[in-house]
Amino acid sequence: MKCDILIIGGGVVGTAIARELSRYNLEIVLLEKEDDVAMGSSKANSGIVHAGYNSPADTLKARLNVKANPQFDKLCADLDVPFKRIGSLVIAFNEDELKQLKWEKENGEKLGIKGLKILSRDELLEKEPNLNPKAKYGLYAPSAGIVSSYELTIALADNAVINGGKVMLETEVRDIIEEKGRIQGVKTNTGDFYASYVINAAGLFADEIANYSNDTKIEYSLRKGEYHLYDKNWGNFVTHILFPTPSKVSKGILITPTVHGNLMIGPNAEETKDKKDLSTSKVALNEVFESAKKLVPDLKRLDIINSFSGIRAKEKSNDFIIAASKGLEGLINVAGIQSPGLSAAPAIAEMLLDILHEYNHELKRDIDLSFKKNFKETLTPKKRLYRTDYYNWQEIIAENPDFAEIVCRCEKVSKGEIIHAINRPVPATSIDAVKRRTRTGTGRCQGGFCQPRVLEILAKELNISPLKVSKKGKGSCLLFARTKEMLLSKMAGEKL
């Protein structure tokens, strides 16, 4: 396959770039090795849109975070993605920690962030009554918000597709195609792809793509972070994003309401060498819980409904690397996108476009960077029972009876919503892909009741056997055989 722009990686950065470039008269193809977008760091993410005061003002990640933050209201409204600008608080318990708060406030003001304020203990407790009463100070940032990182990623990809982009799932880059110091394309498990430019937004694996060239080596260190997710009963226990005073390693273990009404605590920061190790441990999860209790002492373990982990990569420069490769013409690296990568994603996409304009002028490659006249800025709002009143839902049911069958009772998800998810521009073809688009299986029962019905609907809509329906792509099918066939085989003495 040939195209103008090849994007490697279907995380929030890769899909934001795909959407931004789909405004232009370009042929764009995005390659993702998993069965869905948002399967790496963009899946197991805190979902925080940071205000931007944390990183030193002279870093690229600070500037892009601050530039992108105001864009989230319109972006999420256009793409029908839930977003709430609830503000954040960094909590200090002593005078030494107060010094850090003052530095962050001064740093944020250098970057132009408005509304930063250091609060007294009384002001803190007025905003957060469940906060540890030993807290003395807090840095308040009203522009911080919360978003669903995977819903945003999927919506960006959907929007790119309806504007002419292609998303190729389960397509893993195995090698690059190079000729005379210029990248011509990539070799994948599904065939070769050729392009005028290749954008390396491969997240955790961006170092491996970048290091195909003789460029300055990109060196990652990996950190695993584990989280606890609480039932919605705890969704209003705090109303802001609460951070401890940061350490040299991370922003610390935070407490936040999620955009869907749960409460989340985490992540810790554990060094790891394994990019695929998403296991959780009792020790790490206990660290998460005990650290969160220092901020909010009345937290209980009782209503934790899920625990999970994610991996994030830190480049040795401790900053984003967004630049054309010096060693391989035609390759643009977008690497080292650690936190605040989600918050900066829209600005990263804009910066990439600027680089592409400049680079294309320099190389005089024949791609059309003129605006597309019929670019569609928005996605059609989804029909969602949880945000629709009774009478309007009755009208939806009258048009399509599938919306009358409730499949997930915890999250109030109907069969009609699941079928819509399976048929979106980037389709859901596995149990977890449906989950990320509809929230089936994310409630208190964690799919115990609804998962068999979701599997049945997937099999029918995809016209495949239920035995072929997977949890998350190849090698994760949930069913082994039909029960009666197993019994009959056993009776006949056949080896299963």
Side-chain angles (χ1 to χ4, degrees):
M1 178 182 286
K2 291 184 178 179
C3 61
D4 294 319
I5 309 289
L6 201 57
I7 301 167
I8 305 172
V12 69
V13 171
T15 56
I17 291 169
R19 189 215 184 213
E20 186 64 27
L21 296 185
S22 70
R23 297 175 184 274
Y24 300 85
N25 287 304
L26 296 168
E27 292 183 19
I28 302 160
V29 176
L30 184 149
L31 307 180
E32 169 54 50
K33 66 185 180 69
E34 304 293 345
D35 80 312
D36 196 7
V37 296
M39 289 289 283
S41 300
S42 300
K43 177 181 65 176
N45 189 292
S46 302
I48 307 297
V49 176
H50 292 280
Y53 51 76
N54 313 77
S55 303
D58 60 352
T59 60
L60 180 59
K61 60 184 179 180
R63 296 197 302 273
L64 293 179
N65 182 170
V66 173
K67 181 182 179 186
N69 177 291
Q71 300 181 27
F72 273 82
D73 301 271
K74 181 178 185 306
L75 177 66
C76 291
D78 285 347
L79 301 182
D80 192 31
V81 173
F83 169 66
K84 296 177 182 176
R85 201 174 284 283
I86 61 174
S88 66
L89 292 163
V90 184
I91 308 301
F93 288 88
N94 55 53
E95 302 304 316
D96 283 342
E97 292 181 345
L98 175 61
K99 293 177 184 174
Q100 176 67 23
L101 265 54
K102 288 180 176 177
W103 178 88
E104 290 190 341
K105 180 173 181 291
E106 184 179 346
N107 185 61
E109 288 170 346
K110 279 183 192 172
L111 287 158
I113 302 170
K114 305 293 184 186
L116 294 174
K117 183 181 179 184
I118 292 181
L119 305 182
S120 67
R121 175 182 176 278
D122 289 345
E123 290 172 315
L124 276 176
L125 292 175
E126 184 179 348
K127 285 187 177 296
E128 290 292 350
N130 289 312
L131 187 67
N132 189 334
K134 294 180 181 176
K136 287 189 173 181
Y137 309 101
L139 174 61
Y140 176 53
S143 60
I146 51 177
V147 70
S148 167
S149 56
Y150 48 86
E151 283 194 56
L152 176 60
T153 304
I154 294 166
L156 288 164
D158 277 349
N159 195 240
V161 170
I162 67 170
N163 283 296
K166 292 186 175 65
V167 174
M168 310 293 290
L169 301 175
E170 296 187 312
T171 303
E172 182 177 9
V173 174
R174 302 278 174 82
D175 202 352
I176 63 167
I177 303 170
E178 178 188 359
E179 185 178 322
K180 297 179 180 177
R182 174 172 176 79
I183 192 168
Q184 304 291 330
V186 298
K187 294 181 177 293
T188 78
N189 58 315
T190 62
D192 295 348
F193 291 80
Y194 294 87
S196 298
Y197 295 95
V198 177
I199 297 170
N200 169 23
L204 291 177
F205 301 90
D207 57 337
E208 298 175 25
I209 302 293
N211 293 340
Y212 276 124
S213 77
N214 295 320
D215 203 344
T216 303
K217 294 294 182 185
I218 290 176
E219 296 180 21
Y220 276 175
S221 58
L222 305 176
R223 288 178 187 151
K224 180 163 72 172
E226 300 188 24
Y227 294 86
H228 281 307
L229 185 72
Y230 279 79
D231 185 76
K232 287 185 173 178
N233 292 340
W234 288 75
N236 295 319
F237 199 63
V238 301
T239 55
H240 301 78
I241 308 154
L242 304 184
F243 295 98
T245 305
S247 68
K248 292 181 179 177
V249 176
S250 75
K251 297 183 182 70
I253 292 171
L254 61 88
I255 304 175
T256 181
T258 73
V259 78
H260 295 294
N262 299 86
L263 183 75
M264 185 164 65
I265 63 175
N268 63 335
E270 179 184 351
E271 298 289 337
T272 180
K273 300 289 185 184
D274 188 351
K275 293 179 177 179
K276 297 180 180 178
D277 177 16
L278 295 177
S279 62
T280 57
S281 72
K282 183 178 179 180
V283 171
L285 289 173
N286 191 57
E287 177 194 353
V288 169
F289 180 74
E290 293 300 331
S291 296
K293 276 178 69 74
K294 292 177 183 174
L295 290 178
V296 181
D298 289 338
L299 278 176
K300 310 292 182 190
R301 295 181 192 268
L302 183 64
D303 286 323
I304 293 172
I305 60 172
N306 195 8
S307 301
F308 59 94
S309 72
I311 306 285
R312 59 238 198 222
K314 176 188 173 188
E315 213 282 329
K316 69 175 182 180
S317 65
N318 198 24
D319 203 355
F320 297 166
I321 295 176
I322 306 172
S325 168
K326 295 175 183 174
L328 196 57
E329 188 179 297
L331 175 66
I332 302 174
N333 291 311
V334 185
I337 311 299
Q338 58 173 316
S339 177
L342 169 66
S343 312
I348 291 173
E350 292 174 350
M351 181 177 176
L352 192 287
L353 179 65
D354 292 341
I355 292 172
L356 192 59
H357 269 290
E358 186 177 339
Y359 201 29
N360 191 52
H361 179 73
E362 177 186 334
L363 299 182
K364 302 186 186 318
R365 297 289 169 181
D366 187 23
I367 63 170
D368 187 355
L369 282 166
S370 63
F371 276 110
K372 190 180 290 176
K373 291 181 180 177
N374 57 348
F375 177 77
K376 296 173 183 174
E377 193 85 26
T378 62
L379 291 175
T380 304
K382 298 176 284 293
K383 296 169 183 173
R384 303 300 298 268
L385 174 56
Y386 76 86
R387 65 184 185 191
T388 308
D389 67 35
Y390 173 82
Y391 295 104
N392 285 330
W393 197 251
Q394 293 307 307
E395 292 179 6
I396 291 171
I397 290 172
E399 293 176 3
N400 185 344
D402 283 337
F403 286 89
E405 179 185 335
I406 304 303
V407 176
C408 174
R409 295 182 182 180
C410 298
E411 294 294 319
K412 297 182 176 61
V413 182
S414 69
K415 178 183 175 184
E417 291 163 83
I418 295 170
I419 291 174
H420 175 261
I422 296 170
N423 293 285
R424 278 175 66 165
V426 179
T429 58
S430 65
I431 298 282
D432 283 359
V434 170
K435 175 182 178 178
R436 283 187 288 275
R437 286 160 178 77
T438 65
R439 293 190 54 73
T440 51
T442 62
R444 196 173 184 88
C445 87
Q446 290 291 291
F449 290 95
C450 65
Q451 194 174 83
R453 183 65 179 128
V454 174
L455 187 151
E456 189 177 32
I457 295 168
L458 268 166
K460 184 175 180 181
E461 287 296 311
L462 300 176
N463 194 28
I464 60 175
S465 163
L467 304 181
K468 300 294 184 184
V469 176
S470 71
K471 185 176 188 301
K472 52 181 179 180
K474 289 179 180 176
S476 63
C477 291
L478 296 172
L479 303 180
F480 177 66
R482 294 180 184 277
T483 309
K484 289 184 179 179
E485 288 176 357
M486 290 178 66
L487 293 172
L488 290 170
S489 296
K490 190 174 182 181
M491 289 171 66
E494 295 176 4
K495 187 177 180 181
L496 294 175

